[in-house]
Amino acid sequence: MTKAFDKIAAGLADAIAFAQGDTSRGRVAAGPDVKAIRAKTKLSQAGFAAKLRVPVGTVRVWKQRRRSPDAPARTLLGMVDADPKAALALIEKGMG
């Protein structure tokens, strides 16, 4: 077979093995810990969502890890994680 087919077949075999519990053949990219980041701000979910200008449902699914934030949201969450007070003040200033 072709090299491309062999790579696809190997990837599929790894995916099947991972789905069956063999964690040695795959990896999961973990997103930011939204619950911990929100806790640093001392805001409720609704307050945190309002400050970030996203629906509260979005914060909820991020916290529950049912969805992962996209790249811009991960960047914003990383900034809030690093310095909550400064990041939230900049967001407020920018949206003023």
Side-chain angles (χ1 to χ4, degrees):
M1 301 267 164
T2 67
K3 282 185 180 183
F5 178 83
D6 292 339
K7 288 180 181 181
I8 292 169
L12 182 58
D14 288 345
I16 291 169
F18 185 81
Q20 293 173 339
D22 181 359
T23 58
S24 68
R25 295 176 66 178
R27 64 183 174 95
V28 176
D33 186 350
V34 176
K35 184 177 180 180
I37 295 168
R38 184 181 63 81
K40 283 184 175 184
T41 67
K42 299 180 177 140
L43 294 169
S44 65
Q45 276 188 2
F48 187 67
K51 291 284 187 182
L52 295 183
R53 310 288 202 269
V54 299
V56 70
T58 299
V59 171
R60 196 171 296 124
V61 297
W62 289 346
K63 186 187 84 125
Q64 296 168 349
R65 297 189 182 270
R66 292 189 327 204
R67 288 218 170 104
S68 184
D70 62 11
R74 282 193 308 271
T75 300
L76 182 59
L77 288 165
M79 291 169 53
V80 173
D81 190 24
D83 190 341
K85 188 175 179 179
L88 294 176
L90 285 171
I91 293 168
E92 194 67 34
K93 184 178 179 180
M95 301 308 257

